[in-house]
């Protein structure tokens, strides 16, 4: 057994890691926002699937049915349709768990199943209509995967590593930083965290608990939905592998714990997860003399999460724990 | 005394929950620059009434006037807007937040960004004005109860409260901390705030308040100036009849050694030393009171005798009345201890957490102690049902039915169910922890009577208490714990409150009563 160095392969791996990591990062940011309001939404994979299929359907159908599709309209359509669909899916979850106080775990899991069904159904409907299984939107690929001119091509390795992505990848970093500032520096962020920790206290301080919860879950769902659409973007806006979004969604839920509910940690954590989730494809090119099953490699993000969970619980740091009221419905009359 | 300006007037306030009337036609006024005590038994509607001012509940009938203007208080936010702030019995704080973060929660700020410097400055200003001591950057989970309470009060002052309601503020404080609290309460009164203290401790009412309003069964029955009141008058108004306020203390009859603890060392669940090398004897027919600031090893002491805590070293020897040789209890689990014929009745501190199952009725809770008695594969239900019925009648437990979940009963009634069940086991050793915590006078005296009955039957009673007056009146001997060590064992008939208080804080000014101890 030996290890061989291969620069091109490593560069490809890192670029893939950042792309896939950003998908997970969007999912995790939405989930962090939701969990800070005290709601564990296991429907994230379903919401990401809804965002993905909706964004894909809008861009694909627009390109198919318009003589001269415009890049700008394409941009708006892709973003808005995935955000709207994901928000609607989040609304189902929010209404059931906030207003009807349904069990959050059951509702979330159901939503994931529902989202997978929706994506499968509409995916096959669109495929059937266009008479091909390899459907894709070429213009959307062009718009969303537009690289930064000059920087991405003329800086050698640095350009390939740092400037070789679509704008959604950079937007994810900005969003994560903004979220972190929101939680720690603003009144609204403090109020939201208080709700996730102890809604009774927040209520007694005059905070509108229900309003905050709806806002957090709907915004969180919208952000997660963008992750679903980004998955299609990094796969050149073709539908064939889109149902794998679900796996990305579960990684996003794991990433929330890995990042200890801090959006900025989720940036590098997301890239690490992306790196590990692509290990099956790239790691064997660096290793000679022994064959390790791809499935073993695919397990690594989860194994790392388990290790981190063990590590975090050893440290017993209060700030690294989940919001205290996570998963619990809030009834004002309960004392 | 010049009449102060009226801050709040309640007119004809009524509130019902289901079929139960919590408040009926209550009329009450609260004045600026005055400390009003709201006195009443458990379930007399004190907290419900104040929750209507704090916006937690909304009255079914009646009118609230603030500074002579009728107002609607529909939410805690409305209460804050009207200058009303309430410190609830169970603190409403976020553990992982700092003091300052808890204070600015829910504030209507002009800017999104939190101005931490300005907040800290405003907190300091409030602290300086009234004599509070608080660190804005300290996390709540690092605070003790007294600091948390201070934070609660500063929190509502920060929100501009002029009318402060404190629900049983001294329930969890040591006597010293209570005194400190009363000092700042008086400072706030002198600054013109209107203050309401909900309590059932008569001594406190008399020492801190200017006026007392008495609630009985949801109605405001009287309001008198404290200068005209004494314990007897207040109790009679509260109960509606004459009450004997003396705790009985029969002489121990033929005390013999029942439980001998030698060099016991116990660690708590976090691995810290909770008990350090303690030795004492508990005699039959005697009440051994245990005094100490809460968290000084009382819980671990009772748990190690009951077989619930892991003993690191030392021995616990138990000598039942019909045996000659003692039995070692260390190393046995609670079930083994029972099977050996060792009967320990244990009333835990957290009565609904450890003692009873809240969602079960009285009779099912009785079964928790007898579920192994049946002969068939089905549970034996008749005996527990009869026991539940007799406890309900004898101890006057207020419950619609013995099948009603105990979590729906008031605190006093829950306590009666628990004590009744433990005593029904005909124990040789009865251990109780904070048996009267949160109970009103009437129920407390019922509990004292039950404990005394056991003592007369020759039971060795270990009574962990927090009210020193009660400990001194009820116990035969008082063992004082301080940080897991015994700082003294005193004769309760001769020692004073000050002596015990000093030992509680670790002082060694008093000789321990060796003659009693070595008997």
């Amino acid at each position: 057994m030996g290890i061989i160095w291969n620069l091109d392969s490593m560069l490809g791996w890192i670029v893939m890691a950042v792309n896939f990591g950003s998908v997970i990062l969007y999912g995790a940011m939405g989930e962090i926002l939701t969990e800070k309001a005290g709601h564990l939404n296991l429907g994230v994979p379903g919401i990401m699937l809804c965002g993905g299929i909706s964004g894909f359907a809008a861009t694909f159908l627009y390109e198919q049915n318009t003589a001269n599709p415009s890049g700008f309209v394409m941009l708006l359509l892709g973003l808005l349709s995935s955000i709207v669909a994901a928000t609607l899916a989040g609304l189902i979850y929010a209404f059931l768990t906030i207003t009807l106080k349904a069990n959050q775990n059951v509702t979330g899991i159901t939503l994931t199943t529902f989202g997978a069904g929706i994506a499968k159904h509409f995916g096959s409907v669109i495929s059937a209509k266009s008479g091909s299984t390899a459907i894709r939107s070429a213009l959307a690929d062009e718009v969303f995967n537009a690289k930064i001119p000059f920087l991405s091509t003329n800086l050698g390795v640095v350009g390939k590593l740092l400037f070789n992505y679509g704008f959604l990848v950079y937007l994810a970093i900005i969003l994560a930083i903004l979220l972190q500032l929101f939680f720690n520096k603003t009144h609204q962020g403090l109020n939201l965290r208080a709700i996730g920790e102890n809604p009774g206290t927040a209520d007694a301080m005059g905070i509108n608990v229900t309003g905050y919860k709806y806002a957090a879950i709907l915004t969180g769902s919208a952000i997660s939905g963008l992750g679903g659409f980004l998955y299609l973007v990094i796969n050149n806006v073709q539908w064939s592998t889109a149902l794998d979004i679900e796996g990305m969604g579960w990684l996003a839920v794991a990433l929330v714990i890995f990042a200890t509910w801090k959006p900025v940690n989720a940036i590098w954590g997301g890239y690490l997860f992306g790196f590990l989730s692509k290990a099956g494809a790239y790691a064997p090119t660096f290793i000679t003399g022994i064959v390790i099953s791809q499935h073993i490699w695919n397990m690594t993000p989860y194994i790392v999460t388990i290790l981190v969970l063990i590590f975090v619980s050893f440290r017993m740091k209060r700030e690294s724990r989940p919001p205290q009221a996570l998963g619990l419905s809030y009834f004002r009359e309960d004392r | 005394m010049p009449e102060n300006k009226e801050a709040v007037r309640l007119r004809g306030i009524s509130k019902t929950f289901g079929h139960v009337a919590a408040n009926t036609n209550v009329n009450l006024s609260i004045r600026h620059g005055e400390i009003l005590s709201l006195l009443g038994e458990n379930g007399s509607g004190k907290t419900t009434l104040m929750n209507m001012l704090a916006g937690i509940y909304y009255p079914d009938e009646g009118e609230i006037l603030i500074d002579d203007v009728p107002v609607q208080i529909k939410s805690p936010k409305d209460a804050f807007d009207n200058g009303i702030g309430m410190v609830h019995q169970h603190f409403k704080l976020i553990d992982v937040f700092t003091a300052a973060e808890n204070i600015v929660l829910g504030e209507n700020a002009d800017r999104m960004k939190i101005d931490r410097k300005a907040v800290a400055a405003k907190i300091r200003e409030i602290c300086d004005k009234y004599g509070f001591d608080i660190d804005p950057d300290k996390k709540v989970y690092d605070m003790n109860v007294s600091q948390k309470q201070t934070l609660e009060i500063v929190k509502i002052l920060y929100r501009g409260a002029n009318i402060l309601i404190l629900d049983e503020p001294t329930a969890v404080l040591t006597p010293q901390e209570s005194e400190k609290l009363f000092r700042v309460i008086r400072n706030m009164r002198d600054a013109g705030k209107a203050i309401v203290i909900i309590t059932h401790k008569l001594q406190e009412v008399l020492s801190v308040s200017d006026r007392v309003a008495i609630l009985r069964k949801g109605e405001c029955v009287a309001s008198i100036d404290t200068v005209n009141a004494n314990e007897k008058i207040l109790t009679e108004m509260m109960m509606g009849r004459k009450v004997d306020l003396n705790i009985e203390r029969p002489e121990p009859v033929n005390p013999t050694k029942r439980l001998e603890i030698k060099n016991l060392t116990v660690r708590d669940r976090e691995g810290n030393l909770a008990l350090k090398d303690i030795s004492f004897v508990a005699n039959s027919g005697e009440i051994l009171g245990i005094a100490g600031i809460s968290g000084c090893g009382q819980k671990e002491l009772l748990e190690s005798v009951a077989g619930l805590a892991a003993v690191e070293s030392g021995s616990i020897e138990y000598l039942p009345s019909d045996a000659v040789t003692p039995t070692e209890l260390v190393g046995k689990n609670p079930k083994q201890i029972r099977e050996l014929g060792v009967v320990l009745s244990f009333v835990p501190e957290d009565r609904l957490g450890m003692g009873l199952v809240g969602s079960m009725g009285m009779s099912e809770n009785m079964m928790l102690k007898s579920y192994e008695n049946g002969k068939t594969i089905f549970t034996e239900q008749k005996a527990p049902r009869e026991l539940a019925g007799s406890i309900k009648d004898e101890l006057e437990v207020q419950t619609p039915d013995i099948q009603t979940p105990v979590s729906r009963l008031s605190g006093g009634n829950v306590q009666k169910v628990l004590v009744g069940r433990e005593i029904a086991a005909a124990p040789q050793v009865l251990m109780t922890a904070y048996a009267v915590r949160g109970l009103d006078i009437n129920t407390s005296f019922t509990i004292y009577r039950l404990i005394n009955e056991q003592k007369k039957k020759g039971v060795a009673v270990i009574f962990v208490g927090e009210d020193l007056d009660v400990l001194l009146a009820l116990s035969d001997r008082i063992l004082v714990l301080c940080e897991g060590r015994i700082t003294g064992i005193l004769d309760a008939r001769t020692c004073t409150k000050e002596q015990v208080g000093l030992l509680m804080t670790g002082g060694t000014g008093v000789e321990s009563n060796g003659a009693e101890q070595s008997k």
Side-chain angles (χ1 to χ4, degrees):
Chain A
M1 185 188 144
I3 293 175
I4 45 165
W5 178 245
N6 180 340
L7 180 66
D8 279 346
S9 184
M10 184 48 84
L11 278 179
W13 192 356
I14 291 175
V15 170
M16 282 299 236
V18 172
N19 274 325
F20 280 85
S22 299
V23 172
I24 305 168
L25 174 57
Y26 273 108
M29 284 192 291
E31 181 67 5
I32 289 174
L33 193 55
T34 303
E35 292 197 14
K36 287 284 184 189
H39 282 244
L40 179 67
N41 187 357
L42 296 178
V44 166
I47 288 170
M48 290 173 75
L49 280 162
C50 286
I53 179 67
S54 175
F56 174 76
T59 50
F60 178 74
L61 294 175
Y62 174 65
E63 189 173 341
Q64 294 291 304
N65 298 315
T66 315
N68 288 311
S70 116
F72 181 68
V73 173
M74 187 61 105
L75 183 80
L76 283 184
L77 263 182
L79 293 180
L80 283 181
S81 57
S82 55
I83 286 176
V84 167
T87 308
L88 285 175
L91 185 62
I92 299 175
Y93 174 85
F95 180 70
L96 282 167
T97 57
I98 303 172
T99 305
L100 303 182
K101 299 177 182 13
N103 181 296
Q104 297 178 10
N105 299 343
V106 176
T107 310
I109 299 262
T110 313
L111 186 59
T112 287
T113 317
F114 173 73
I118 291 263
K120 223 175 206 168
H121 173 71
F122 285 106
S124 57
V125 166
I126 296 170
S127 297
K129 282 229 163 133
S130 56
S132 155
T133 46
I135 43 174
R136 72 179 279 254
S137 166
L139 180 63
D141 185 11
E142 203 177 293
V143 170
F144 284 96
N145 279 322
K147 308 283 188 287
I148 304 170
F150 184 75
L151 290 179
S152 58
T153 47
N154 291 11
L155 288 178
V157 173
V158 178
K160 276 183 187 161
L161 270 185
L162 298 182
F163 304 109
N164 206 11
Y165 311 98
F167 73 95
L168 280 171
V169 168
Y170 303 103
L171 182 67
I173 300 172
I174 296 167
L175 255 181
I177 294 169
L178 287 178
L179 262 185
Q180 183 104 357
L181 290 175
F182 172 74
F183 289 141
N184 294 330
K185 301 281 178 195
T186 69
H187 284 281
Q188 287 77 4
L190 189 73
N191 292 351
L192 179 68
R193 283 196 291 142
I195 290 168
E197 292 290 335
N198 188 337
T201 297
D203 195 13
M205 292 304 281
I207 299 170
N208 180 350
V209 174
T210 307
Y212 265 91
K213 282 189 166 190
Y214 266 99
I217 291 175
L218 296 185
T219 314
S221 301
I223 295 173
S224 296
L226 277 180
F229 184 58
L230 177 61
Y231 186 87
L232 282 150
V233 168
I234 61 177
N235 285 298
N236 304 320
V237 200
Q238 56 187 350
W239 185 249
S240 57
T241 58
L243 290 177
D244 294 345
I245 290 172
E246 186 175 341
M248 295 281 121
W250 293 121
L251 278 175
V253 176
L255 178 58
V256 173
I257 302 166
F258 182 88
T260 60
W261 290 267
K262 292 180 185 69
V264 168
N265 285 355
I267 302 175
W268 67 264
Y271 295 161
L272 176 67
F273 273 33
F275 190 78
L276 295 172
S277 69
K278 288 290 129 192
Y282 288 93
T285 61
F286 292 89
I287 296 170
T288 55
I290 187 168
V291 177
I292 299 171
S293 162
Q294 193 187 341
H295 300 297
I296 301 276
W297 290 113
N298 288 347
M299 282 183 211
T300 47
Y302 300 98
I303 293 170
V304 168
T305 302
I306 291 170
L307 291 177
V308 165
L309 274 179
I310 293 169
F311 179 64
V312 167
S313 66
F314 271 141
R315 277 191 309 171
M316 293 289 278
K317 208 176 152 212
R318 298 288 288 258
E319 284 74 11
S320 302
R321 290 187 196 164
Q324 224 173 1
L326 185 63
L328 306 173
S329 300
Y330 174 60
F331 303 82
R332 180 186 275 185
E333 297 284 318
D334 258 14
R335 279 189 294 167
Chain B
M1 190 196 276
E3 197 82 331
N4 288 313
K5 198 176 163 298
E6 199 167 73
V8 180
R9 169 161 286 275
L10 302 177
R11 251 190 224 148
I13 298 286
S14 295
K15 175 81 185 169
T16 34
F17 294 104
H19 299 293
V20 186
N23 288 120
T24 319
N25 193 21
V26 176
N27 294 296
L28 183 70
S29 72
I30 302 167
R31 299 181 196 134
H32 286 294
E34 184 187 71
I35 301 172
L36 174 74
S37 281
L38 203 55
L39 186 68
E41 295 189 75
N42 293 121
S44 59
K46 305 174 299 246
T47 303
T48 308
L49 185 66
M50 289 300 112
N51 271 337
M52 285 189 267
L53 274 181
I56 306 284
Y57 299 137
Y58 190 74
D60 297 338
E61 277 171 46
E63 194 181 26
I64 299 172
L65 289 85
I66 308 282
D67 293 326
D68 303 324
V69 184
V71 293
Q72 302 275 325
I73 303 174
K74 288 184 169 160
S75 70
K77 193 175 173 300
D78 292 345
F80 279 124
D81 294 344
N82 281 298
I84 300 169
M86 179 160 171
V87 175
H88 296 268
Q89 206 177 346
H90 302 286
F91 297 143
K92 290 186 178 293
L93 296 171
I94 310 285
D95 276 350
V96 293
F97 284 10
T98 63
E101 286 173 336
N102 268 288
I103 286 169
V104 297
L105 263 191
E107 193 188 22
N108 281 325
D110 306 330
R111 292 168 55 212
M112 255 181 107
K113 191 171 185 300
I114 302 169
D115 187 347
R116 285 177 194 266
K117 269 191 194 150
V119 171
K122 197 170 162 194
I123 293 170
R124 246 192 321 276
E125 188 189 315
I126 293 169
C127 290
D128 292 345
K129 190 170 174 190
Y130 300 108
F132 293 107
D133 181 20
I134 206 167
D135 173 4
D137 296 323
K138 194 167 187 174
K139 299 265 184 178
V140 172
Y141 59 71
D142 283 329
M143 295 185 181
N144 62 32
V145 245
S146 171
Q147 290 169 321
K148 286 183 190 172
Q149 186 173 58
T150 309
L151 172 56
E152 283 276 18
I153 298 171
V154 173
K155 193 169 91 175
I156 56 179
L157 288 172
Y158 183 94
R159 293 291 286 268
N162 284 313
I163 301 153
L164 286 93
I165 305 162
L166 309 176
D167 193 355
E168 308 227 1
T170 59
V172 289
L173 301 184
T174 63
Q176 288 80 358
E177 288 169 340
S178 299
E179 260 318 305
K180 212 168 113 193
L181 173 69
F182 292 156
R183 269 201 302 281
V184 294
I185 288 179
R186 291 191 189 102
N187 287 342
M188 292 192 287
R189 173 201 48 201
D190 297 340
K193 308 264 181 204
I195 293 157
V196 182
I197 297 179
I198 302 176
T199 184
H200 51 243
K201 290 187 186 169
L202 295 172
Q203 296 96 325
E204 281 177 18
V205 171
L206 293 169
S207 73
V208 76
S209 65
D210 299 309
R211 202 157 56 91
V212 193
I214 293 133
L215 284 187
R216 189 166 73 221
K217 296 196 171 110
E219 294 175 51
C220 186
V221 291
S223 141
I224 61 169
D225 289 331
T226 310
V227 284
N228 302 325
N230 62 34
E231 285 195 25
K232 198 159 165 293
I233 295 174
L234 291 178
T235 314
E236 282 176 20
M237 290 207 280
M238 193 160 83
M239 313 281 300
R241 58 187 155 87
K242 284 199 188 311
V243 178
D244 184 6
L245 271 187
N246 292 317
I247 300 174
E248 188 197 9
R249 176 160 54 191
E251 281 295 320
V253 181
N254 189 21
T256 54
K257 189 161 77 183
R258 178 62 47 86
L259 203 59
E260 180 165 21
I261 289 168
K262 287 181 195 155
N263 308 104
L264 187 70
T265 298
V266 176
R267 285 185 192 274
D268 64 17
R269 292 192 175 87
E270 277 81 47
N272 305 314
L273 273 181
L275 292 175
K276 298 161 196 160
D277 192 27
I278 67 161
S279 304
F280 67 91
V281 169
N283 293 320
S284 66
E286 193 186 75
I287 297 178
L288 175 66
I290 296 187
I293 298 165
S294 72
C296 275
Q298 296 95 321
K299 184 172 167 228
E300 287 76 13
L301 176 60
L302 300 198
E303 285 188 350
S304 47
V305 177
L308 293 165
V311 173
E312 185 158 288
S313 65
S315 74
I316 303 169
E317 283 182 354
Y318 165 72
L319 190 70
S321 53
D322 52 356
V324 191
T325 50
T327 315
E328 177 60 51
L329 299 188
V330 173
K332 297 188 170 54
N333 64 37
K335 198 176 161 197
Q336 286 171 322
I337 290 176
R338 202 169 61 230
E339 280 169 356
L340 272 165
V342 177
V343 190
L344 286 172
S345 285
F346 183 56
V347 181
E349 285 176 48
D350 175 10
R351 49 191 182 234
L352 265 181
M354 272 178 77
L356 299 169
V357 178
S359 57
M360 290 186 179
M362 273 181 75
S363 87
E364 280 173 309
N365 270 296
M366 297 302 140
M367 277 172 68
L368 293 179
K369 285 265 161 166
S370 63
Y371 64 96
E372 288 174 320
N373 295 355
K375 291 181 179 62
T376 64
I377 58 162
F378 299 108
T379 49
E380 162 72 47
Q381 301 220 351
K382 199 169 160 228
R385 224 173 6 237
E386 283 169 4
L387 177 60
S390 70
I391 289 174
K392 178 174 184 271
D393 296 340
E394 278 172 37
L395 304 187
E396 296 166 11
V397 178
Q398 303 290 322
T399 170
D401 190 79
I402 54 169
Q403 308 297 354
T404 305
V406 290
S407 61
R408 294 220 203 119
L409 311 186
S410 76
N413 286 310
V414 171
Q415 194 84 310
K416 284 186 203 170
V417 173
L418 185 59
V419 176
R421 182 187 73 191
E422 298 304 331
I423 286 171
Q428 296 256 351
V429 175
L430 175 67
M431 296 191 288
T432 71
Y434 310 116
V436 297
R437 175 178 278 180
L439 298 192
D440 57 58
I441 295 187
N442 196 26
T443 321
S444 299
F445 274 74
T446 309
I447 305 270
Y448 300 148
R449 187 170 53 74
L450 290 170
I451 289 172
N452 266 324
E453 272 172 23
Q454 294 300 305
K455 170 183 169 182
K456 283 185 223 161
K457 280 184 189 165
V459 172
V461 180
I462 299 179
F463 179 87
V464 176
E466 45 197 346
D467 187 335
L468 289 185
D469 292 304
V470 171
L471 271 173
L472 285 168
L474 183 70
S475 319
D476 296 295
R477 289 183 300 142
I478 295 182
L479 183 157
V480 189
L481 280 177
C482 176
E483 289 170 3
R485 289 181 202 281
I486 295 180
T487 45
I489 297 178
L490 308 168
D491 183 346
R493 285 180 176 76
T494 55
C495 70
T496 64
K497 203 171 158 181
E498 286 67 34
Q499 283 177 313
V500 178
L502 194 62
L503 288 173
M504 276 167 72
T505 51
T508 49
V510 195
E511 291 281 308
S512 71
N513 201 327
E516 280 282 327
Q517 193 184 353
S518 59
K519 191 163 65 181

